């Protein structure tokens, strides 16, 4: 053993006994040898004389690399040496007569590497240099199985490395592949096909594995060789015989089926394709799929039949003659029962899409109206396929019920997977509504009739089908219960499945009942059944908390829909919900899993919608509301009384309870209109006012509990909508408490509340706003800086994000004040001291803020203030100093200098909107200030921006004209001209 062989053995050692340093040395040594000029001779010699597979592998790998990288720089002699040696080795020879080693006797990975080396030579040399490679190989096949096997490996490697377009190819590789295929077609494909036939015929009874290898190679080549070489009286009968003979190995039979699949899916003109498909007489293999569904043969035959069905359907769609369509439909009708069986019982080839194929078939059915008996039969089978495909695997039953991580993943996967199948179901429902409804009825009946718990998945699938079918029914058909709906909906409502305790079954049951509510709306005799489904253990009283929460939400939707029709049932409903209502505020709501949009509060919204109707007698309404509000308020009062003795351990639970109570009352109030509580039944309004009184105490007792402040703020929002202007007496106290020790995040909530109040009440809100504005302005101006907030690395902190949000909300608040005729609030004696800092903040922001929309809001505020506070030219000043501030600061800095900065991007849509507001501001300033504005802007601002005199004069003309569009267009071109001269060097002051 020489040094190279030793180094190779060390490098490939996997025993763990060789240290990494030695391995690296061995690798370096081998890499150094690779660089030698005579490396190819070294490799060939080792291949002929070394029995070590590691050495053989390294030599073949090195040859492969060297040919690929250095081929163009090799001498003709070196190329000849490699070609002659490698081919000789591949044909069970050696380099010369002295060779003792036969590489073909080695393991498969060595032979595959040898095939790869040969294919690399073919890449560079066929057909121009080495034109005889395939013919020479064919002449060597008589040496027996080893050479035949090697020939198959070369053909397979050629397909993988060069020809097969399933792999990404470079333009150069595509050109070489075309060259190789063209030469092979011309020179040797017919001989290769003949060899395949002879080998399979000769070895089928003695070496089935070799025959399977030959057919596997052949399958790869059928897509691009002349189909007539395969589809003939010799080869097709042989392939079918191999598939159908029971005594042969599954591997060989499957390989023959694979070749037939390649024949079926070969790309051809449909007029030639249809006779080919017809000639195959595919019915011969239909029976094979009913055998053991896990076998390799069955999956190959399944791929053959599905591929065949796809091609026949394609012919039907693309051929126009009646005869061709008739033949296609006949073939399709013949194969479809087997295809449906395959879809339900077999593992399918990943390239075949069940949904795509069935959608295509259903689309063709639309052209066959009315459907014939065969097609109606097929509809039933398609529905069976859909049902089998949407069924959950029972192995996940427990995971899905408790919804652990595995269950959640499986549910998400199935939701996604089902989308296309449900679209298919809707299409089937439109093509054959009667068959679909009968199928759904039978599925439900089977599910109802089952007395055991084993059928969770069947019940869930049957209900999901009924739910999805609802999407294909229009409103009118739903209301009248056309077809079998009049039977199906009552059947659904009266059903109690043995597996109703399962989460998935319970959820889809409730969703389905909700979907068909329009039918119940018209057929009120079923209302009591709907209420039972929601109020018993199938719904709100279901043992699984996720189901009962969802039931609460869906029940609220049902109440919204049925509303008036539920008045006679209110008493019973409230009685049924007593325990749920009581439990809502006493459970441990600090648990994370119960938070979110379905927190159970929808049950209070449903109750509010029921008892808040004017059709409920006043006395009853008061009793109902009082029986709900009184205990809730008493709970809050008790908690507030005992606030001082709360231990740190108790506090989180008590705070959570208060939160839940506020959420419950909030939801309850949604059912009561402002008109009812303020005009027609003020006694109801009084109850809500008393509740507001109690809940405002929460802010006094727990001023620093952010979660409680947030919930009370939300309740005040609600009461603004419910109580209207009668909420005013409570607002000063509420707003004062919300300001205490408020952080930026809480200030945002307060400003949003004030915005709601201003938008709802306009100038009616002036007195209260006058009172609270100074405190709010003082608090906010203490928190946010007058100039820009920090930016750049390290600035994206929670604190900074909250300040940015507060800043944005403040500008919205100031905008709302000015656009609702309340700008006088800024001028009240208490607020006057904040006017100057607010103006400075607005000025800085209108010029420099990164958010263009925020700048636009600030410019709009200035426009409104100019209109409110400034009289016509030479009029009396309403706000001393404001006019000069606008002319000297806002006009030049915002309307001129800020636009000259290159960051002002005219191609951006939002920036153009801001620009429009800036031009409008100039128009308004000219209207209000006349020449005072114009003279200052043109004589002070323009010279600083190096504006030529003629352009300044044109600007004056445009401003004084009435066409604002012309002004805007001119001003944009002016700014762009000035910018070119300045190169963005002017600084906004």
């Amino acid at each position: 053993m020489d040094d190279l062989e030793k180094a190779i053995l060390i490098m490939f050692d996997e025993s763990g006994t060789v240290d990494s340093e030695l391995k690296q040395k061995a690798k370096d040594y081998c890499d150094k040898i690779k660089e030698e000029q005579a490396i190819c001779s070294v490799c060939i010699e080792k291949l002929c004389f070394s029995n070590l597979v590691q050495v053989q592998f390294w030599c073949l790998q090195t040859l492969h690399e060297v040919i690929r990288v250095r081929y163009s720089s090799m001498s003709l002699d070196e190329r000849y040496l490699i070609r002659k040696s490698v081919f000789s080795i591949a044909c069970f020879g050696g380099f010369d007569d002295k060779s003792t080693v036969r590489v073909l006797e080695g393991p498969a990975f060595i032979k595959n590497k040898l095939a790869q080396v040969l294919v690399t030579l073919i890449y560079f040399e066929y057909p121009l240099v080495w034109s005889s490679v395939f013919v020479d190989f064919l002449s060597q096949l008589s040496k027996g199985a080893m050479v035949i096997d090697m020939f198959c490996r070369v053909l397979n490697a050629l397909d993988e490395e060069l020809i097969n377009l399933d792999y990404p190819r470079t333009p150069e590789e595509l050109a070489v592949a075309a060259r190789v295929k063209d030469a092979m077609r011309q020179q040797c494909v017919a001989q290769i096909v003949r060899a395949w036939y002879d080998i399979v015929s000769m070895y089928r009874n003695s070496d089935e594995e070799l025959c399977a290898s030959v057919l596997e190679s052949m399958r790869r080549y059928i897509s691009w060789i002349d189909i007539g070489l395969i589809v003939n009286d010799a080869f097709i009968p042989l392939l079918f015989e191999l598939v159908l003979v029971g005594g042969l190995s599954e591997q060989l039979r499957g390989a023959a089926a694979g070749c037939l699949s390649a024949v079926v899916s070969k790309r051809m003109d449909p007029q030639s394709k249809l006779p080919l498909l017809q000639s195959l007489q595919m019915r011969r293999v239909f029976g094979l799929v009913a055998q053991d569904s896990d076998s390799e043969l069955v999956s190959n035959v399944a791929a053959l039949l599905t591929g065949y069905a796809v091609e026949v359907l394609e012919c039907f769609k693309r051929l126009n003659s009646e005869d061709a369509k008739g033949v296609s439909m006949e073939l399709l009708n013949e194969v479809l029962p087997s295809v449906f069986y395959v879809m339900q019982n077999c593992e399918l080839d990943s390239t075949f899409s069940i949904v795509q194929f069935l959608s295509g078939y259903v689309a063709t059915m639309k052209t066959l109206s009315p459907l014939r008996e065969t097609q109606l039969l097929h509809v039933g089978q398609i529905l069976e396929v859909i049902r089998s495909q949407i069924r959950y695997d029972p192995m996940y039953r427990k995971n899905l019920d408790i919804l652990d991580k595995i269950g959640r993943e499986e549910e998400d996967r199935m939701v996604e997977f089902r989308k296309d199948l449900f679209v298919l179901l809707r299409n089937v429902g439109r093509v054959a509504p009667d068959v679909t409804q009968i199928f759904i009825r039978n599925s439900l009946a089977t599910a109802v009739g089952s007395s055991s718990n084993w059928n969770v998945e069947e019940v869930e699938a049957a209900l999901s089908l009924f739910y999805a079918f609802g999407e294909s029914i229009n409103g009118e058909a739903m209301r009248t219960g056309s077809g079998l709906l009049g039977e199906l909906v009552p059947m659904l409502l009266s059903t109690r499945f043995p597996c109703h305790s399962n989460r998935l079954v319970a959820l889809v049951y409730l969703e389905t009942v909700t979907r068909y509510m329009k039918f119940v709306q018209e057929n009120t005799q079923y209302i009591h059944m709907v209420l039972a489904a929601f109020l018993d253990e199938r719904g709100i009283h279901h043992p699984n908390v996720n189901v009962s929460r969802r039931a609460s939400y869906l029940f609220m939707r049902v109440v919204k829909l049925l509303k008036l029709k539920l008045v006679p049932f209110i008493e019973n409903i409230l009685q049924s919900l007593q325990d749920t209502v009581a439990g809502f505020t006493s459970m441990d709501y600090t648990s994370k899993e119960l938070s979110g949009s379905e927190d159970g509060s929808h049950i209070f919204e449903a109750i509010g919608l029921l008892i808040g109707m004017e059709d409920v007698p006043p006395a009853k309404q008061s009793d109902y509301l009082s029986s709900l509000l009184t205990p809730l308020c008493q709970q809050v009062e008790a908690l507030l009384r005992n606030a001082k003795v709360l231990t740190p351990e108790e506090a989180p639970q008590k705070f959570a309870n208060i939160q839940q109570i506020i959420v419950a009352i909030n939801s309850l109030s949604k059912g009561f209109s402002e008109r009812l509580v303020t005009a027609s039944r003020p006694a109801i309004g009084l109850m809500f006012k008393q509740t507001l009184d109690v809940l405002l105490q929460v802010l006094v007792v727990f001023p620093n509990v952010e979660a409680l402040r947030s919930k009370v703020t939300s309740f005040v929002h609600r009461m603004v909508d419910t109580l209207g202007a009668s909420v005013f007496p409570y607002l000063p106290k509420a707003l004062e408490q919300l300001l205490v020790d408020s952080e930026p995040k809480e200030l945002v909530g307060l400003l949003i509340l004030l915005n709601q109040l201003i938008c709802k009440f306009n100038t009616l809100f002036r007195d209260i706003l006058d009172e609270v504005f100074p405190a709010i302005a003082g608090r906010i101006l203490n928190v946010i800086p007058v100039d820009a907030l920090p930016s750049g690395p390290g600035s994206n902190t929670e604190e900074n994000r909250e300040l940015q949000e507060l800043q944005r909300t403040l500008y919205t608040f100031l905008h709302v004040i000015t656009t609702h005729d309340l700008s006088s609030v800024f001028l009240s004696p208490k607020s006057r001291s904040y006017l100057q800092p607010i103006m400075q903040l607005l000025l800085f922001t209108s010029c420099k803020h990164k958010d263009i929309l925020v700048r636009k809001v600030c410019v709009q505020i200035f426009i409104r203030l100019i209109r409110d506070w400034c009289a016509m030219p030479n009029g009396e000043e309403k706000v001393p100093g404001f006019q000069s501030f606008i002319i000297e600061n806002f006009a030049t800095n915002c309307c001129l200098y800020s636009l000259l900065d290159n960051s002002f991007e005219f191609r951006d849509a939002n920036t153009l909107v801001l620009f429009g507001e800036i031009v409008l501001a100039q128009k308004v300033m000219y209207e209000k200030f006349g020449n005072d504005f114009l003279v200052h802007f043109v004589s002070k601002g323009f010279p600083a921006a190096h504006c030529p005199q003629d352009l300044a004069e044109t600007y004056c003309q445009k401003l004084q004209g009435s066409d604002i569009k012309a002004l805007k267009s001119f001003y944009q071109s002016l700014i762009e001209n000035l910018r070119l001269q300045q190169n963005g060097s002017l600084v906004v002051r």
Side-chain angles (χ1 to χ4, degrees):
M1 193 188 297
D2 64 19
D3 289 348
L4 176 60
E5 289 177 346
K6 284 177 188 169
I8 291 168
L9 289 178
I10 291 168
M11 191 168 64
F12 284 125
D13 182 84
E14 298 206 347
S15 65
T17 56
V18 178
D19 69 49
S20 56
E21 198 178 326
L22 184 57
K23 270 195 174 188
Q24 187 57 48
K25 277 184 183 174
K27 184 181 179 302
D28 294 342
Y29 179 76
C30 291
D31 288 345
K32 192 178 172 193
I33 297 280
K34 275 186 194 177
E35 299 304 314
E36 289 182 9
Q37 194 64 40
I39 183 62
C40 293
S41 303
V42 171
C43 289
I44 289 162
E45 189 180 342
K46 294 286 177 205
L47 284 170
C48 295
F49 295 104
S50 176
N51 275 314
L52 298 165
V53 289
Q54 296 96 321
V55 174
Q56 290 174 1
F57 183 80
W58 184 85
C59 290
L60 288 167
Q61 192 176 42
T62 301
L63 274 176
H64 180 234
E65 283 173 27
V66 169
I67 298 166
R68 248 184 22 203
V69 176
R70 295 195 218 159
Y71 183 81
S72 57
S73 62
M74 283 180 184
S75 68
L76 292 176
D77 289 344
E78 194 175 5
R79 291 178 192 174
Y80 175 74
L81 170 76
I82 297 169
R83 185 190 316 137
K84 182 186 168 201
S85 318
V86 171
F87 184 73
S88 176
I89 292 167
C91 294
F92 205 53
F95 172 36
D96 52 38
D97 297 337
K98 296 174 192 165
S99 301
T100 57
V101 172
R102 297 287 179 260
V103 172
L104 297 199
E105 291 172 339
F109 71 90
I110 295 290
K111 290 182 273 194
N112 289 338
K113 202 72 195 169
L114 176 59
Q116 207 179 18
V117 173
L118 260 169
V119 166
T120 311
L121 286 169
I122 290 168
Y123 182 98
F124 288 110
E125 300 195 337
Y126 181 78
L128 299 174
V129 178
W130 191 10
S131 59
S132 64
V133 56
F134 295 106
V135 178
D136 292 346
F137 224 133
L138 287 168
S139 68
Q140 298 287 323
L141 298 183
S142 57
K143 287 184 177 178
M146 282 191 177
V147 179
I148 294 169
D149 172 69
M150 192 61 213
F151 184 57
C152 291
R153 290 178 194 275
V154 171
L155 291 177
N156 293 350
L158 183 64
D159 178 63
E160 282 166 14
E161 301 279 319
L162 188 61
I163 294 172
N164 195 325
L165 293 178
D166 288 346
Y167 305 99
R169 305 290 185 203
T170 64
E172 184 198 346
E173 286 170 336
L174 291 170
V176 173
R179 185 190 78 208
V180 168
K181 287 196 290 187
D182 287 345
M184 286 180 76
R185 284 191 195 102
Q186 208 173 346
Q187 183 201 33
C188 58
V189 162
Q191 291 165 262
I192 292 172
V193 174
R194 181 75 216 179
W196 286 333
Y197 179 82
D198 291 342
I199 293 163
V200 174
S201 302
M202 186 190 302
Y203 286 93
R204 56 185 285 188
N205 296 319
S206 59
D207 194 339
E208 292 182 15
E209 196 177 333
L210 181 70
C211 292
S213 298
V214 169
L215 292 175
E216 170 57 26
S217 290
M218 174 173 138
R219 178 190 62 76
R220 295 164 178 257
Y221 283 73
I222 290 172
S223 66
W224 60 269
I225 65 175
D226 177 7
I227 195 65
L229 294 169
I230 309 293
V231 179
N232 51 49
D233 295 341
F235 232 134
I236 291 295
L238 174 63
L239 290 173
F240 271 105
E241 195 182 329
L242 292 171
V243 172
L244 291 164
V245 171
L248 297 173
S249 70
E250 286 216 343
Q251 188 190 2
L252 175 54
R253 296 172 73 188
C259 289
L260 288 169
S261 289
V263 168
V264 160
S265 53
K266 185 172 172 73
R267 278 196 283 189
M268 291 168 71
D269 173 70
Q271 280 166 326
S272 312
K273 186 66 164 282
L274 186 59
L276 184 153
L277 295 172
Q278 195 177 9
S279 72
L280 293 175
Q281 298 172 35
M282 198 60 77
R283 71 184 77 85
R284 290 179 276 179
V285 298
F286 290 170
L288 294 177
V289 289
Q291 296 176 8
D292 176 15
S293 62
D294 288 337
S295 77
E296 190 182 336
L297 172 66
V298 171
S299 63
N300 278 295
V301 175
L304 170 58
L305 293 180
T306 51
Y308 174 80
V310 166
E311 295 299 326
V312 174
L313 180 61
E314 201 57 30
C315 288
F316 179 87
K317 287 196 280 193
R318 292 174 62 192
L319 292 169
N320 294 321
S321 80
E322 284 305 312
D323 285 351
K325 281 200 176 294
V327 170
S328 306
M329 191 47 71
E330 204 176 303
L331 296 179
L332 206 50
N333 289 341
E334 194 178 60
V335 74
L336 277 175
S338 299
V339 172
F340 293 138
Y341 179 86
V342 160
M343 288 174 179
Q344 286 173 263
N345 298 290
C346 305
E347 283 291 319
L348 282 169
D349 178 23
S350 60
T351 58
F352 175 72
S353 163
I354 290 177
V355 175
Q356 209 173 342
F357 173 72
L358 293 179
S359 298
Y361 179 62
V362 171
T364 65
M365 282 189 185
K366 290 176 187 172
T367 65
L368 301 173
S369 185
L371 299 182
R372 300 187 190 93
E373 195 177 335
T374 313
Q375 270 93 41
L376 290 170
L377 197 66
H378 291 163
V379 169
Q381 289 174 303
I382 290 170
L383 292 166
E384 281 292 355
V385 170
I386 294 171
R387 183 169 64 180
S388 74
Q389 290 288 316
I390 65 166
R391 259 202 309 259
Y392 279 97
D393 188 328
M395 71 181 280
Y396 295 111
R397 187 183 296 177
K398 192 178 174 191
N399 305 97
L400 286 159
D401 197 30
I402 59 173
L403 205 60
D404 57 13
K405 184 175 181 286
I406 295 169
R408 200 170 279 113
E409 283 171 5
E410 177 59 11
E411 189 169 31
D412 290 346
R413 185 196 69 78
M414 192 57 114
V415 165
E416 199 54 42
F417 175 70
R418 284 175 163 188
K419 281 177 185 171
D420 291 339
L421 286 159
F422 285 150
V423 171
L424 175 62
L425 176 74
R426 290 199 290 277
N427 291 336
V428 174
R430 290 184 185 113
V431 170
D434 296 344
V435 177
T436 309
Q437 290 189 41
I438 289 167
F439 177 80
I440 286 171
R441 180 189 63 185
N442 293 344
S443 299
L444 273 177
T446 307
V448 172
S450 173
S451 57
S452 67
N453 201 29
W454 69 269
N455 69 334
V456 167
E457 290 72 30
E458 274 76 4
V459 172
E460 196 278 338
L463 288 166
S464 295
L465 284 173
F466 190 23
Y467 175 81
F469 176 67
E471 282 195 40
S472 62
I473 303 171
N474 62 42
E476 187 54 36
M478 186 83 86
R479 279 193 293 276
T480 56
S482 67
L484 288 173
L485 275 186
E487 179 190 338
L488 284 170
V489 178
M491 179 180 171
L492 177 75
L493 291 171
S494 60
T495 301
R496 289 169 185 266
F497 297 104
C499 53
H500 225 122
S501 61
N502 179 275
R503 185 186 70 88
L504 277 181
V505 171
L507 285 174
V508 72
Y509 176 80
L510 294 168
E511 297 283 357
T512 309
V513 168
T514 308
R515 168 152 279 178
Y516 289 95
M517 232 1 82
K518 282 184 180 163
F519 172 80
V520 178
Q521 217 176 354
E522 292 296 313
N523 299 273
T524 51
Q525 68 269 32
Y526 299 115
I527 285 179
H528 71 284
M529 295 168 87
V530 171
L531 293 175
F534 276 100
L535 298 173
D536 65 23
E537 67 286 347
R538 287 172 292 172
I540 289 163
H541 287 94
H542 195 281
N544 184 310
V545 69
N546 293 301
V547 175
S548 61
R549 290 299 162 81
R550 184 69 182 161
S552 297
Y553 167 72
L554 293 173
F555 182 61
M556 181 267 293
R557 279 176 49 192
V558 167
V559 169
K560 271 185 178 173
L561 200 64
L562 298 178
K563 234 174 172 188
L564 278 177
K565 289 163 183 166
L566 294 176
V567 171
F569 302 93
I570 289 177
E571 206 85 52
N572 291 338
I573 293 170
L574 292 179
Q575 220 163 355
S576 279
L577 294 174
Q578 265 181 339
D579 58 338
T580 310
V581 166
F584 180 76
T585 53
S586 59
M587 280 174 65
D588 177 8
Y589 284 96
T590 50
S591 165
K592 282 181 185 172
E593 67 183 86
L594 302 180
S595 60
S597 61
E598 286 184 15
D599 58 2
S601 64
H602 292 106
I603 206 63
F604 287 90
E605 190 172 343
I607 293 170
L609 290 164
L610 281 170
I611 67 175
M613 291 185 274
E614 296 218 12
D615 300 72
V616 178
K620 281 271 188 198
Q621 195 172 52
S622 291
D623 286 349
Y624 292 148
L625 186 59
S626 174
S627 69
L628 288 153
L629 288 180
T630 305
L632 291 172
C633 289
Q634 283 170 348
Q635 282 186 63
V636 175
E637 286 169 328
L639 287 165
L640 295 175
R641 274 197 303 276
N642 298 319
K644 286 179 181 170
V645 294
L646 266 188
T647 65
E649 292 76 29
E650 289 177 307
Q653 174 64 48
K654 299 299 182 192
F655 294 158
N657 284 354
I658 296 175
Q659 277 178 258
Q660 287 306 115
I661 291 167
I662 300 170
V663 166
I665 299 171
N666 206 340
S667 300
L668 190 66
S669 68
K670 289 178 186 177
F672 293 83
S673 69
E674 184 181 336
R675 196 180 64 78
L676 182 132
V677 303
T678 56
S680 59
R681 299 184 186 174
I684 298 292
L686 185 60
M687 284 192 216
F688 280 117
K689 287 175 191 172
Q690 288 165 343
T691 306
L692 182 58
D693 246 341
V694 172
L695 296 185
L696 287 176
Q697 287 303 310
V698 172
L699 295 177
V700 178
V701 178
F702 301 114
N704 298 316
V705 182
E706 189 193 328
L708 291 179
R709 287 169 74 108
S710 164
K711 286 284 182 281
V712 174
T713 305
S714 173
F715 185 63
V716 176
H717 275 290
R718 181 78 241 133
M719 288 300 100
V720 170
D721 281 340
T722 306
L723 295 170
S726 64
V727 81
F728 278 14
Y730 300 87
L731 290 175
K733 178 185 174 185
L735 297 170
E736 181 191 334
Q737 284 304 132
L738 288 170
L739 260 173
V740 174
D741 297 335
S742 48
E743 296 296 321
K745 196 174 175 183
E746 292 157 338
L747 285 169
V748 168
L750 178 59
L751 292 180
I752 291 169
L753 173 62
L754 288 165
N755 287 344
Q756 180 201 13
L757 288 160
I758 295 167
C759 292
K760 186 172 175 70
F761 300 115
N762 295 307
T763 50
L764 290 177
F765 189 61
R766 187 192 309 274
D767 292 346
I768 296 175
L769 189 60
D770 264 343
E771 280 300 309
V772 298
F773 184 79
I776 289 165
R779 184 86 187 86
I780 292 174
L781 290 171
N782 269 337
V783 174
I784 57 172
V786 174
D787 50 8
L789 287 164
S791 61
S795 65
N796 190 20
T797 61
E798 184 67 26
E799 187 184 352
N800 261 355
R801 285 196 295 275
E802 285 179 6
L803 283 175
Q804 283 168 352
E805 184 61 23
L806 176 59
Q807 197 185 54
R808 270 195 296 272
T809 314
L810 170 66
Y811 297 129
T812 307
F813 173 56
L814 297 174
H815 187 262
V816 168
I817 289 175
T818 53
T819 52
H820 286 78
D821 299 316
L822 290 166
S823 60
S824 60
V825 165
F826 300 140
L827 306 176
S828 70
K830 288 181 186 171
S831 302
R832 201 79 189 226
S833 59
Y834 298 110
L835 183 59
Q836 199 263 342
I838 288 172
M839 290 303 116
Q840 286 299 334
L841 189 63
L842 286 170
L843 175 64
F844 181 86
T845 308
S846 66
C847 296
K848 286 201 166 184
H849 203 282
K850 285 181 179 175
D851 188 332
I852 293 294
L853 296 176
V854 170
R855 284 169 73 173
K856 180 194 78 175
V857 165
C858 293
V859 173
Q860 287 173 332
I861 293 169
F862 276 123
I863 292 170
R864 189 67 196 226
L865 292 177
I866 294 164
R867 283 178 169 156
D868 281 1
W869 292 350
C870 302
M872 299 309 279
N874 307 317
E876 191 184 333
E877 266 203 288
K878 191 173 180 183
V879 182
F882 181 69
Q883 179 172 322
S884 58
F885 169 78
I886 292 294
I887 292 173
E888 290 167 21
N889 295 289
F890 172 71
T892 48
N893 281 305
C894 177
C895 300
L896 180 59
Y897 300 157
S898 76
L899 307 187
L900 293 171
D901 193 281
N902 286 328
S903 64
F904 197 89
E905 181 53 78
F906 280 107
R907 283 173 299 185
D908 173 66
N910 287 332
T911 306
L912 274 177
V913 174
L914 167 61
F915 181 70
E917 294 295 335
I918 286 171
V919 172
L920 175 63
Q922 292 168 59
K923 200 79 180 149
V924 171
M925 286 187 282
Y926 179 68
E927 284 167 14
K928 290 288 186 181
F929 311 141
N931 284 332
D932 286 354
F933 159 68
L934 195 56
V935 168
H936 188 276
F937 195 59
V938 173
S939 65
K940 295 279 171 67
F942 280 15
H946 310 297
C947 178
Q949 188 60 34
D950 59 331
L951 290 178
E953 286 169 9
T954 310
Y955 169 78
C956 294
Q957 290 163 13
K958 297 284 184 190
L959 183 69
Q960 289 162 331
S962 59
D963 188 345
I964 193 152
K965 265 190 176 177
L967 172 62
K968 188 177 171 184
S969 174
F970 169 76
Y971 198 57
Q972 183 175 335
S973 65
L974 173 66
I975 294 296
E976 285 169 340
N977 277 330
L978 295 178
R979 218 191 264 183
L980 285 171
Q981 293 175 39
Q982 305 271 16
N983 199 17
S985 60
L986 201 71
V987 178
V988 178
R989 293 163 191 165

